[in-house]
């Protein structure tokens, strides 16, 4: 295959991958051109992290920034009349799946000479970038909305990142980051193509977990869609390499209170649906205008998957059920379990199929909110 390059999916314009950039000349998000994928013989079995799949990455990295991310448990349970697998991504070093993307993205950027990075995030993305920047001897600045609870920024500050509170909406914070990107390299988990090269390792890991085969279905809590895209990229590479015979169906679970991908999927429209977003328990997926929405929906359709919108009552009930089963996760994760229940009831997914439910973030990230749900905190 041709040498890897950045590509703008909207125009097919390519750019050299050896020159760090975060968007196209027209301001669109970039991807990495399709790669050949690897066979099982290329896995570095001596490496106990996602870097065992380094041969699948677009650039060599001499000294990865790693905290042992990846290799998260895959647990099968008798559940809802089936036996799905739960992928415990919340057992990552900073407590969320975003460690995969942060490790690969910052390792590659540091290899290219970047030493100071900018991110905008009010939660897991900022924590992951702050952690891996610290581990790699890099400086990090994280922009967060001014209304962000202090508990969400403590982890970022603990890693030594500079946190700047931006007045206004989440969109105002992103706009401020894009302006500051003129002076500090923008290592955004939403914009950076290298971040998706990290999330694609979830696909490689599931393939290895399952005895070098693809599952039939993967259900993912979805906001910006980096796990949907990562699975699409990774499993497409494995199909290209002849290691699997089919792509798994990808199911995106969103909260009803903020489900732009679901609304657009149902409409079949060429433009992102305008929604009236409301507060939701699934805060981690509350993204009104996902930057890569077109690519995310393309991946879902290509896999013959679906979107599912979950009510607040379903989120609360599924969160309680998961906790009672020993899975202490963010309420955001409960959308995926509630989607599993819906899909099984509708016969879209059947008990004889291999289904993976991805649990993305630790409940320790949402102690205040979970305490309120339980009535276990003062004032709850």
């Amino acid at each position: 295959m041709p040498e890897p390059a950045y590509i703008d999916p909207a125009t097919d314009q390519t750019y050299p991958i050896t020159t760090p950039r975060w968007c196209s000349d027209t301001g669109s998000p970039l991807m990495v051109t399709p790669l050949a994928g690897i066979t099982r013989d290329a896995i570095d079995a001596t490496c106990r992290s996602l870097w065992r799949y380094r041969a699948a990455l677009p650039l060599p990295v001499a000294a990865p920034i790693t905290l042992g991310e990846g290799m998260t448990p895959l647990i099968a349970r008798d559940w809802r009349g089936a036996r799905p697998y739960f992928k415990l991504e919340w057992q990552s070093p900073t407590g969320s799946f975003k460690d995969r993307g942060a490790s690969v993205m910052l390792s590659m950027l540091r290899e290219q000479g970047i030493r100071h990075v900018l991110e905008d995030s009010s939660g897991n993305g900022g924590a992951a970038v702050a952690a891996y920047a610290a581990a790699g001897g890099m400086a990090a600045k994280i922009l967060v909305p001014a209304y962000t609870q202090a508990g969400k920024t403590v982890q970022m500050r603990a890693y030594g990142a500079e946190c700047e509170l931006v007045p206004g909406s989440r969109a105002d914070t992103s706009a401020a980051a894009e302006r500051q990107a003129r002076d500090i390299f923008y290592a955004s988990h939403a914009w950076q193509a290298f971040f998706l090269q990290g999330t694609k390792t979830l696909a490689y890991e599931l393939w290895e977990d399952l005895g070098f085969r693809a599952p039939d279905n993967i259900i993912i809590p979805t906001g910006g869609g980096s796990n949907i895209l990562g699975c699409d990229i990774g499993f497409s590479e494995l199909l290209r390499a002849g290691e699997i015979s089919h792509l798994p169906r990808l199911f995106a679970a969103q909260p009803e209170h903020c489900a732009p991908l679901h609304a657009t999927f149902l409409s079949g429209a060429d433009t992102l649906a305008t929604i009236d977003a409301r507060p939701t328990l699934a805060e981690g997926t509350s993204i009104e205008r996902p930057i890569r929405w077109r690519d995310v929906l393309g991946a879902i359709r290509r896999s013959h998957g679906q979107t599912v919108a979950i009510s607040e009552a379903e989120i609360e009930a599924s969160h309680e059920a998961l906790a009672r089963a020993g899975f202490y996760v963010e309420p955001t994760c409960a959308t995926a379990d509630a989607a599993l229940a819906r899909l099984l009831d509708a016969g879209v997914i059947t008990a004889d199929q291999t289904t993976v439910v991805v649990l993305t973030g630790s409940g320790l990230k949402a102690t205040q909110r979970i305490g309120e749900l339980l009535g276990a905190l003062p004032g709850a």
Side-chain angles (χ1 to χ4, degrees):
M1 297 189 76
E3 288 296 310
Y6 289 120
I7 187 168
D8 179 350
T11 64
D12 288 334
Q13 173 69 45
T14 59
Y15 304 88
I17 203 170
T18 50
T19 302
R21 59 163 56 230
W22 60 272
C23 68
S24 72
D25 289 346
T26 57
S28 297
L30 297 170
M31 305 279 274
V32 172
T33 50
L35 304 177
I38 61 172
T39 62
R40 64 196 74 183
D41 295 338
I43 297 172
D44 179 359
T46 66
C47 181
R48 296 293 299 173
S49 79
L50 64 79
W51 290 93
R52 66 199 283 112
Y53 312 114
R54 71 174 71 203
L57 298 176
L59 289 174
V61 177
I65 304 171
T66 180
L67 296 168
E69 58 294 319
M71 306 299 291
T72 56
L74 184 69
I75 306 297
R77 283 288 174 86
D78 292 325
W79 192 257
R80 302 190 183 282
R83 191 167 174 79
Y85 290 90
F86 292 91
K87 185 62 169 169
L88 310 189
E89 288 290 273
W90 54 274
Q91 293 195 19
S92 301
T94 76
S96 90
F97 79 93
K98 287 194 167 76
D99 290 354
R100 291 184 185 270
S103 175
V104 172
M105 174 180 70
L106 293 183
S107 293
M108 290 188 169
L109 291 176
R110 188 179 68 168
E111 192 85 4
Q112 294 182 324
I114 302 296
R115 291 292 183 271
H116 190 184
V117 294
L118 177 72
E119 156 79 311
D120 61 301
S121 166
S122 62
N124 291 333
V129 169
Y132 283 84
M138 303 167 74
K141 182 176 185 180
I142 317 293
L143 302 191
V144 301
Y147 58 75
T148 301
Q149 296 177 19
K152 289 189 174 183
T153 62
V154 166
Q155 188 178 11
M156 305 175 204
R157 295 182 188 276
Y159 293 128
E162 176 188 356
C163 287
E164 179 181 324
L165 301 180
V166 179
S169 67
R170 180 66 180 86
D172 292 326
T173 303
S174 295
E178 290 177 32
R179 289 192 298 272
Q180 292 192 30
R182 301 184 190 107
D183 303 311
I184 308 173
F185 188 82
Y186 194 24
S188 163
H189 70 276
W191 282 89
Q192 269 294 323
F194 287 161
F195 191 90
L196 298 179
Q197 292 296 306
T199 59
K200 83 176 184 185
T201 64
L202 173 60
Y204 278 94
E205 195 167 300
L206 288 172
W207 164 65
E208 187 177 5
D209 285 341
L210 294 170
F212 299 108
R213 60 189 179 90
D216 296 303
N217 313 295
I218 306 175
I219 308 173
I220 302 171
T222 305
S226 59
N227 264 337
I228 291 284
L229 290 173
C231 283
D232 177 58
I233 294 167
F235 281 112
S236 293
E237 290 178 5
L238 287 166
L239 188 65
R240 210 171 287 131
E243 282 288 336
I244 57 174
S245 60
H246 68 279
L247 294 176
R249 291 189 295 173
L250 302 176
F251 294 89
Q254 295 205 287
E256 282 183 357
H257 283 194
C258 188
L261 294 171
H262 178 67
T264 309
F265 183 85
L266 291 183
S267 73
D270 251 353
T271 56
L272 182 67
T274 300
I275 62 166
D276 181 19
R278 291 170 287 164
T280 174
L281 290 169
E283 292 178 350
T285 51
S286 185
I287 300 175
E288 195 169 344
R289 297 195 63 80
I291 292 166
R292 298 182 183 271
W293 68 269
R294 197 181 302 274
D295 298 319
V296 174
L297 291 180
I300 293 168
R301 291 188 175 113
R302 193 159 45 248
S303 76
H304 304 290
Q306 294 182 15
T307 59
V308 186
I310 304 299
S311 71
E312 295 300 293
E314 288 174 298
I315 294 170
E316 187 169 351
S318 271
H319 185 267
E320 180 179 0
L322 287 168
R324 294 295 190 269
F327 299 133
Y328 186 59
V329 294
E330 288 182 300
T332 294
C333 299
T335 59
D337 176 60
L340 171 66
R342 288 263 210 98
L343 293 164
L344 284 167
D345 287 346
V348 176
I349 284 175
T350 57
D352 61 317
Q353 294 174 333
T354 301
T355 298
V356 174
V357 179
V358 182
L359 301 180
T360 50
S362 169
L364 295 174
K365 301 267 193 170
T367 298
Q368 179 74 29
R369 194 73 183 94
I370 294 170
E372 291 167 0
L373 291 174
L374 295 172
L377 294 177

